[in-house]
Structure formats: structure tokens, C-alpha cells
Amino acid sequence: MMCDMSSYNAKSMVEFLRIVGKLKTLKRTGWVRSQVALPESDADHMHRAAICAMLIPSTLPDGTRVDRDRCIRMALTHDVCEAIAGDFTPECSITKEEKHIKEREAMEEIRRILEDNPVGDELMDLWREYESGETIESRFVKDIDKFEMILQADEYEQDQGLSLDQFFDSTKGYFKTSLFLSLDSELRTQRALRKSSSD
Amino acid sequence: MMCDMSSYNAKSMVEFLRIVGKLKTLKRTGWVRSQVALPESDADHMHRAAICAMLIPSTLPDGTRVDRDRCIRMALTHDVCEAIAGDFTPECSITKEEKHIKEREAMEEIRRILEDNPVGDELMDLWREYESGETIESRFVKDIDKFEMILQADEYEQDQGLSLDQFFDSTKGYFKTSLFLSLDSELRTQRALRKSSSD
């Protein structure tokens, strides 16, 4: 397909990128609630999430193919809706359904801003696939979302002398892919050793 | 190729991801020098850089094919070396060659940490290609690196009432790809309008 994206509206792309830029100053609500000092941004989280996706294998032991680049794009954009909708956690007084509606409206707003640029549809497709969790790629990215969070929790515990048990408790038994089952197990082992040696 | 990455050393992957996490608190030197309050992190910059790469066309008007997913991976990782080497700017008292050597050593350290995981070689390849700037993919990512910077400069000017002319002056005439020539032109037009209306 011949496709010169530079012909798409530059103004609409700049507007889109300005919205994405808001993710740099949006502090993750979970850390704010837990009194973490200078908590990471949504963009920080999605950056390492996308790097986690680079570790995904292209083929699983049972022969299942995984589209690693799609996982990278999904990890990179899974919370982009929060630039407009905000970051809700299970503790926020909003139902899962209300959160989903607000996020879908945000994705629709982003698609509207991008006008006829196909990246608008692509972002909507990636977000829908992530939310439904039905494909192998979305199952990997859901594991990444939680693993990146507990790795960060472990780092805040070490750097700031906090106890962030709730993040480890809420993700116990969550992981479904063998890669992140293995990384989760390694991280919990490291944390248990650290805690026992500091007793 | 059958390839089960979960069989790679989990300890080495966690160590690698902890290094990548340092990019969340590494403040970009250019902003620190310019007295920007609460400047973005290296991870923030690479996150929006990778989103910029999603806007790259798969085929140019002259028929040249562009590997967009490779651009996304390159944008996502082009400054990962700074987690170990630090962030040097042209104003730092270090030559370009010394900077390159320090960054190459950092990439070698990352490859060593990742042991036999092929992502270590992949990161080194992406960094080398970016540094050499010889492929169409690396030329796009070099444009992205500068465009993302001036878009951020424009946002800091608006949010913090600063004048960051030096970032616009140093990148004038820099852009080579038609997409980022077009986005650069749009951004400079918006900035000029804003400046003239505030006179």
C-alpha cells in the first residue's frame, strides 16, 4: 500500500502528540495513594512496559505464534486513554463499567483528533484488544501491566523504606504467561530474601 | 524458530529491567540546565518518541519501504545506554567520541547482564544503527529525537513562562524526513503565532 503519512494533517498529529505529552506529568494514582514521594508518570510506566514486551518470545513451546511488535505497541499505548480520562484504580469510587466507558470516550476523542490518520483506528483497536484480553498478545500485555507495577513497588520499597504489600497481595496468582510467571517468581524470591535479611 | 524466552535467566531479565527503571528518574540534562521545574525523565522522552514512531509511514512516496516496528523499537531504546552512562549534552565537557565510547560500554554492560538472551544483541544492533544514522529507520528516529525535544520545549515555554530559543535554534534545518519536516514546520508556526499574539 502506498501511504505517505506526511500528507496527513500535521496540525492534528501535533495536537495528538500534545495529548500524549500529558502522560509525562500524570502521576500513577496507586503510588500517590501510597504516599510514594515523586511517583513515576504514566509515560514512565508505559516505557518500561514496552521494554518488557521486547522480552516476549515469538513462539511459545506449544507452537503458538506471538506478534511481539503488536505487544510492544499495545504496551506502549495501553494507558494512553488516561491522558484524557485520568487514572482510576480499584479504590476509586467509580465502577469498572464507568471506567471502561470514560476510557472508550477518551479513545474516541483521540481518534477524532487524528482525523483520517489510520493511527487513530490502530490505537482504538489496540486498546479494545487489550481491554478484552482475549488474544495471546493482550494476555502478555496484561501480565506486563501488573509485573511492571510490582517491580516498581519493590524498587519504591527499597528506595523509600515503604511497605507496599497490597500491590504484591493483589497480584498473587494473577500471571498467566510462562515468561511473567517466571519473572514474578524471581521478583518475589528477591523481595522475600531482602525482607528476611533486614529482620 | 522455536524460542521460549521464559527459559532465559529470569534473574538476568529482572536485573536488566531494574536498570531500565533508572530512566524514570534520570532528568534530561538539557532541561536541568535551562532551569525547567520538574523536568521530564529519559523514559518520558522515549515514551513519546516511540509514539511519534507510530506515525511513520510504511512506504515513502518514492516507493522506499520503512520498517515502522523497527523505528518504534529504536525510538523506545535509543537512550537506554544513559541509564548507565548518564545523559551528556553538547554543553558537557566531554567530546563526541568520549560520549560514544561511554555509551558503547554501557550497551556492552547491558548485553553482558542479559547473558544469552538475544534481546541483548538486539539492543546493541538498534543502538549502533541509530548512532550511525545510515538507514532510513535511523534517520526517522534521529528526526524524532529532535522533534520530540522541541515539542517539549514549546510545552515548557507555555507552562512555565520560559524562553527556550536555543532548542529551536540548534535544530533549525536539522530535519530530513518529510513527515518531521512537516511537523517541525507546523510546530514553529504555532510557536510564532503564540509569541506574536503575546507581544
Side-chain angles (χ1 to χ4, degrees):
Chain A
M1 182 189 63
M2 173 68 82
C3 174
D4 178 15
M5 291 235 193
S6 60
S7 66
Y8 293 112
N9 194 325
K11 191 159 170 282
S12 76
M13 285 188 271
V14 169
E15 189 181 348
F16 162 66
L17 291 171
R18 287 192 193 279
I19 288 170
V20 171
K22 291 184 197 292
L23 298 161
K24 298 181 182 192
T25 49
L26 199 67
K27 303 297 171 200
R28 299 250 289 161
T29 309
W31 308 136
V32 174
R33 274 177 199 276
S34 302
Q35 264 88 50
V36 167
L38 297 175
E40 65 167 344
S41 67
D42 254 18
D44 285 330
H45 162 64
M46 281 188 278
H47 176 262
R48 189 160 63 174
I51 299 272
C52 285
M54 287 186 72
L55 298 171
I56 294 173
S58 54
T59 311
L60 304 186
D62 67 2
T64 306
R65 302 283 300 174
V66 185
D67 184 342
R68 186 181 70 139
D69 280 315
R70 188 165 182 84
C71 294
I72 293 171
R73 280 182 266 119
M74 199 182 292
L76 189 66
T77 61
H78 73 283
D79 282 339
V80 160
C81 56
E82 296 182 2
I84 293 174
D87 179 16
F88 301 105
T89 69
E91 289 74 29
C92 295
S93 56
I94 177 173
T95 66
K96 257 189 146 176
E97 291 67 32
E98 286 168 330
K99 177 176 184 282
H100 183 82
I101 290 167
K102 275 183 189 292
E103 292 185 349
R104 197 188 61 215
E105 285 170 353
M107 293 311 292
E108 277 163 6
E109 170 74 4
I110 286 169
R111 184 159 63 176
R112 192 194 57 72
I113 288 164
L114 278 167
E115 297 181 351
D116 58 346
N117 191 314
V119 172
D121 284 335
E122 182 183 9
L123 290 168
M124 179 64 95
D125 287 347
L126 286 168
W127 176 77
R128 279 197 177 129
E129 183 177 333
Y130 173 71
E131 284 287 301
S132 69
E134 286 168 2
T135 61
I136 182 67
E137 286 79 11
S138 60
R139 285 198 292 273
F140 265 111
V141 179
K142 282 188 172 280
D143 274 9
I144 286 173
D145 183 49
K146 299 297 187 201
F147 177 73
E148 206 289 318
M149 179 185 78
I150 58 171
L151 179 58
Q152 185 57 68
D154 178 78
E155 290 162 353
Y156 284 143
E157 285 190 327
Q158 290 187 64
D159 295 346
Q160 303 192 16
L162 299 164
S163 187
L164 298 169
D165 289 327
Q166 72 270 34
F167 295 92
F168 290 89
D169 293 344
S170 69
T171 52
K172 215 168 187 169
Y174 178 86
F175 298 95
K176 287 176 188 67
T177 64
S178 71
L179 173 59
F180 290 97
L181 278 165
S182 152
L183 293 179
D184 173 64
S185 163
E186 170 63 26
L187 178 63
R188 284 174 202 260
T189 302
Q190 289 185 13
R191 182 170 181 259
L193 277 170
R194 172 168 59 79
K195 295 228 162 200
S196 70
S197 72
S198 69
D199 279 347
Chain B
M1 182 188 65
M2 174 66 83
C3 174
D4 178 15
M5 292 237 192
S6 60
S7 65
Y8 293 110
N9 194 324
K11 191 159 171 277
S12 75
M13 286 189 270
V14 169
E15 189 181 348
F16 162 67
L17 292 171
R18 288 191 192 278
I19 288 171
V20 171
K22 290 183 196 293
L23 298 160
K24 298 181 183 191
T25 50
L26 199 66
K27 303 296 172 200
R28 300 249 291 160
T29 309
W31 308 135
V32 174
R33 276 178 196 275
S34 302
Q35 265 87 52
V36 167
L38 298 175
E40 64 167 344
S41 68
D42 254 17
D44 285 330
H45 163 63
M46 282 188 278
H47 176 261
R48 189 160 64 175
I51 299 272
C52 286
M54 286 187 71
L55 298 170
I56 294 173
S58 54
T59 311
L60 304 186
D62 67 1
T64 307
R65 301 283 302 174
V66 186
D67 184 342
R68 187 183 70 140
D69 279 315
R70 187 165 182 83
C71 294
I72 293 170
R73 280 183 265 119
M74 199 182 292
L76 189 67
T77 60
H78 72 283
D79 283 338
V80 161
C81 56
E82 295 182 3
I84 293 174
D87 179 17
F88 301 105
T89 70
E91 289 73 28
C92 295
S93 56
I94 177 173
T95 66
K96 257 190 145 173
E97 290 68 33
E98 286 169 329
K99 176 177 183 282
H100 183 80
I101 290 166
K102 275 183 189 294
E103 293 185 349
R104 197 188 60 215
E105 286 169 353
M107 293 311 292
E108 277 162 6
E109 171 74 4
I110 286 169
R111 184 159 62 177
R112 191 194 59 71
I113 288 164
L114 278 166
E115 297 181 349
D116 58 346
N117 192 313
V119 172
D121 283 336
E122 182 183 10
L123 290 169
M124 178 64 95
D125 287 348
L126 287 168
W127 177 77
R128 280 197 177 129
E129 183 178 332
Y130 173 71
E131 283 288 300
S132 68
E134 286 168 2
T135 60
I136 183 67
E137 286 79 12
S138 59
R139 285 198 292 276
F140 266 111
V141 179
K142 282 188 173 281
D143 274 9
I144 286 171
D145 183 49
K146 299 297 187 200
F147 176 74
E148 205 289 319
M149 179 185 76
I150 59 172
L151 179 58
Q152 184 57 67
D154 179 78
E155 291 161 353
Y156 284 143
E157 285 189 329
Q158 291 186 65
D159 295 346
Q160 304 192 14
L162 299 165
S163 187
L164 298 169
D165 288 327
Q166 73 268 32
F167 295 93
F168 290 89
D169 294 344
S170 70
T171 52
K172 215 168 186 168
Y174 178 87
F175 298 94
K176 288 176 188 65
T177 63
S178 72
L179 173 61
F180 290 96
L181 279 165
S182 152
L183 293 178
D184 173 64
S185 165
E186 170 64 25
L187 179 63
R188 282 173 204 262
T189 302
Q190 289 185 11
R191 182 170 180 259
L193 277 170
R194 171 168 58 81
K195 295 227 162 202
S196 70
S197 72
S198 68
D199 280 347

